[in-house]
Each structure stands twice: as C-alpha cells, then as structure tokens.
C-alpha cells in the first residue's frame, strides 16, 4: 500500500510542477493594473513590470501612449531610485476629442530609467490619466523592457486571430461604459492628479496590513487541482495493479 501512496504523491507533485510551470509565464507579462477603467473618466494606472531574467536586471522601461486616442492629461508618481521622462510631441494626425477640441500634440511616451528590477522582483510605475475616451473599448500601451545585458523585450503584440495570447502581448487597459446613474466626474474626483497620492497611500496601507492575498488563493487553487489530478492517477494505478 505504501508504494501506491508514494506513486500517487509523485504524480501529484509532477502535476503541480507542470501546472506552475504553465502558469508562471502568463503571470510574468508586463501589464496595466487595474485592467479596466470607466469610459470618459479619470483613472490611476500602474504598469507592472516583472524581471524575467536570472542573469540580468531591468534597467529601463519605455511605455508608448496611444496616438489615435490621445490622453490630454498625464501625470506620473515618482518612483524612488528611478528617473522619469514624459515625451510630448505632435500626433501623426490631428484627433478630435469627445469635447470637440482638435488635439495635435500629446504625451507620446513615458520612460523610466536609472533604477534596477532584480531577478525575482517586479516594479510598478504609476500614472494618472484622463479624461479617457468615451467610445473606445480599450487602449494599448506598447512597452519596451531593457535589461542590463542590453537585451530589449518588446511587449507590443496584438491578440491572435483565434483569441489566444501572443508571446509578448502589449499591455491593454479595457474601457467599460459607466453604470446607469454614474457620473463621469465621479472617477475624476477619485483618480484625478490631485487625488492620486491619496489613492496610492490607501493601497500602501492595505499592503502593510497583510498584502494581497490573491497569489495565495491562486496557489491554493492550483494545489487543490493538482492534488485531485494526482489522486485520480493514483486510484487508476491501484485498480490496474489489482486487476
């Protein structure tokens, strides 16, 4: 009986390792957090950049801003140890805003440099943006991640035709319509540049009180699934040996 238990345990461990191996790459992408915002409002977004290399650190992050739907106002939150540069310039072609104004210049890119994201670490680079366009479902922010080795990873690929995720997807902010009775200015009051530090401070307080429990819940769920898979394999082996 002991051999059957050991066999089941080995299968469970293998299934867990395979599951984690498949999950880690998906979690390592450069992303926008939170991933959704209200159309026509303001929001604070954080570009979450993990270091995917064991032998190099991330030393520069360049985020391109949309030019087909430019964001009129952009401000950044300082990151200790990092220099930040907002690059403004002319748009490829003038764009008429939701308010009817013709926009010819906007923020084209934000570059963070001078710091380091070591192996096994990530950093978040925050910006307050708005007002967001009202008739757009998503905004894309192609990003270039530069390592101390000189390697550049371009996170700029669009979703594949079959809906699957590419190897280096571009960070995307999905935009949703305001709920009935919700005023666009509600978002402006909670996420405008003046209010952004308050929102960020609240998030920091949450981290101090125990941090985000989502990774623990995800790993717990993965462990449960892997355990069920391993148990099923063990029972199958037991039945075969008895037969």
């Amino acid at each position: 009986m002991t051999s059957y238990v050991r066999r089941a345990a080995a299968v469970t461990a293998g299934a867990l390792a395979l599951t984690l191996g498949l999950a880690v790459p998906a979690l390592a992408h450069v992303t926008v957090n939170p991933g959704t915002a209200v159309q026509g409002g303001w929001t604070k977004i954080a570009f979450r950049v993990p270091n995917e290399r064991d032998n190099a650190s991330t030393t520069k992050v360049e985020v391109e801003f949309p030019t087909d739907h430019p964001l009129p106002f952009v401000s950044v939150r300082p990151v200790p140890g990092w220099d930040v540069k907002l690059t403004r310039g002319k748009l490829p072609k003038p764009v008429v805003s939701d308010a009817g104004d013709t926009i010819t210049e906007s923020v084209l890119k934000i570059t963070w440099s001078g710091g380091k994201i070591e192996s096994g670490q990530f950093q978040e680079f925050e910006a307050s943006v708005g007002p967001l366009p009202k008739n757009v479902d998503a905004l894309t922010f192609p990003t270039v991640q530069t390592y101390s080795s000189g390697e550049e990873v371009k996170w700029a690929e669009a979703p594949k035709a079959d809906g699957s995720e590419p190897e280096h997807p571009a960070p995307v902010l999905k935009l949703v319509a305001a709920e009935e009775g919700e005023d666009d200015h509600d978002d402006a009051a909670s996420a405008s540049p003046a209010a952004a530090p308050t929102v960020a401070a609240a998030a920091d307080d949450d981290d101090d009180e125990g941090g985000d429990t989502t990774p623990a819940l995800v790993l717990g769920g993965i462990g449960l699934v892997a355990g069920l898979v391993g148990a099923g394999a063990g029972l199958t082996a037991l039945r075969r040996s008895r037969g």
Side-chain angles (χ1 to χ4, degrees):
M1 186 64 178
T2 301
S3 61
Y4 300 133
V5 174
R6 291 178 177 174
R7 185 180 305 173
V11 172
T12 301
L16 178 59
L18 176 61
T19 305
L20 288 174
L22 293 175
V24 168
L27 296 174
H29 297 336
V30 174
T31 56
V32 175
N33 295 277
T36 60
V38 177
Q39 294 172 336
W42 289 75
T43 190
K44 185 192 77 172
I45 55 178
F47 298 98
R48 183 174 297 170
V49 182
N51 185 28
E52 295 185 318
R53 300 293 181 263
D54 294 330
N55 58 353
S57 56
T58 297
T59 56
K60 185 168 68 172
V61 176
E62 299 172 274
V63 178
E64 294 182 11
F65 273 57
T67 56
D68 52 348
H69 301 287
L71 299 172
F73 300 98
V74 178
S75 61
V76 296
R77 187 182 189 187
V79 180
W82 291 80
D83 299 321
V84 59
K85 178 182 178 182
L86 275 74
T87 301
R88 300 185 63 91
K90 290 187 176 181
L91 299 173
K93 61 180 181 179
V95 175
V96 178
S97 69
D98 293 326
D101 300 323
T102 300
I103 302 175
T104 59
E105 294 186 356
S106 183
V107 172
L108 305 179
K109 180 172 64 174
I110 301 180
T111 303
W112 287 271
S113 61
K116 288 185 178 182
I117 307 175
E118 301 292 355
S119 177
Q121 299 178 355
F122 73 91
Q123 180 61 267
E124 289 188 339
F125 303 93
E126 296 177 333
S128 178
V129 299
L132 301 170
K134 293 184 177 180
N135 300 312
V136 178
D137 295 330
L139 294 176
T140 303
F141 298 86
T143 299
V144 178
Q145 180 178 11
T146 302
Y147 287 92
S148 56
S149 61
E151 178 189 7
E152 291 186 351
V153 178
K154 297 181 179 181
W155 302 93
E157 296 178 356
K160 296 182 180 180
D162 60 2
S164 61
E165 189 175 69
E167 183 178 0
H168 297 101
V172 175
L173 175 66
K174 296 181 180 180
L175 302 181
V176 297
E179 296 182 2
E180 186 175 354
E182 182 181 359
D183 191 341
D184 292 343
H185 295 290
D186 291 342
D187 282 345
S190 62
S192 62
T198 302
V199 175
D204 291 341
D205 289 343
D206 290 342
D207 290 341
D208 292 341
E209 292 176 3
D212 187 1
T213 59
T214 301
L217 293 176
V218 172
L219 291 176
I222 292 174
L224 177 60
V225 172
L228 292 175
V229 172
L235 289 175
T236 300
L238 178 61
R239 290 173 181 171
R240 290 177 178 175
S241 63
R242 288 182 176 180

